[in-house]
Amino acid sequence: MEQHVLEALLGADGGEVARKALAVLRGGGGYWVGDRAQPAGRHAGVYGQRLRRMRKYGIEPLGLEATVQAVRAYGRPVRTGMVDAADRSWTALLFLTEDGGTLLACAGWPLPLVRRPPVGKPPAGEPDGGRADTGAPDVGGPLSWRRPAAAQRLARGA
């Protein structure tokens, strides 16, 4: 999809997220729109789960709840797209009709996503409360590597 076509679709929408995505696009942001359509139910399910997870960590994406509802109600295959700010400070998720002729819905959120401990979890430094140094959830990976149980036993000489 050419940029001027996407700009026209965003301009015709008039919603808050579309206006912001249009400004980002015109300000030098990048974009992509998928060539293939996927079942709407699949997208509604995936982004519904992502919405719940984002909220669990204190992130409220702009328009995502309405977007999930609109895609679910549409019920036919949809194409997806993204608009990203040049400085990677903001992103928008777009859903278009199968032919790409109509913008069905869009949602956006600032980047990077800063996660807070899940609702109902103890504060940082307490058991299951995240990393004591930053308060961020300890989700594993190379920066929060833990030895496997067998390696811990070997290190203790057990």
Side-chain angles (χ1 to χ4, degrees):
M1 177 176 287
E2 293 184 31
Q3 183 170 334
H4 72 276
V5 174
L6 182 55
E7 287 179 3
L9 293 173
L10 291 167
D13 181 85
E16 181 180 359
V17 177
R19 284 193 310 270
K20 185 161 184 143
L22 181 58
V24 164
L25 194 56
R26 288 180 174 163
Y31 77 97
W32 68 264
V33 175
D35 293 328
R36 292 185 357 194
Q38 299 289 331
R42 180 179 299 164
H43 286 300
V46 166
Y47 285 101
Q49 289 174 335
R50 289 183 183 179
L51 174 63
R52 288 188 292 280
R53 178 156 296 205
M54 289 171 125
R55 285 180 170 165
K56 178 180 174 181
Y57 289 102
I59 301 165
E60 186 58 43
L62 186 60
L64 188 55
E65 183 172 6
T67 296
V68 168
Q69 292 171 358
V71 169
R72 184 173 284 125
Y74 182 67
R76 293 190 297 273
V78 295
R79 290 170 62 181
T80 56
M82 300 287 288
V83 173
D84 296 310
D87 64 358
R88 303 285 299 149
S89 63
W90 193 81
T91 192
L93 169 67
L94 314 173
F95 288 97
L96 301 100
T97 55
E98 190 169 8
D99 65 358
T102 304
L103 178 65
L104 296 171
C106 53
W109 49 88
L111 295 175
L113 295 177
V114 178
R115 294 172 20 161
R116 288 177 248 161
V119 176
K121 292 282 186 175
E126 295 182 19
D128 296 319
R131 295 177 37 181
D133 58 340
T134 65
D138 191 355
V139 294
L143 299 178
S144 59
W145 183 80
R146 293 185 220 156
R147 288 184 184 178
Q152 290 176 352
R153 285 193 299 274
L154 286 173
R156 290 193 309 258

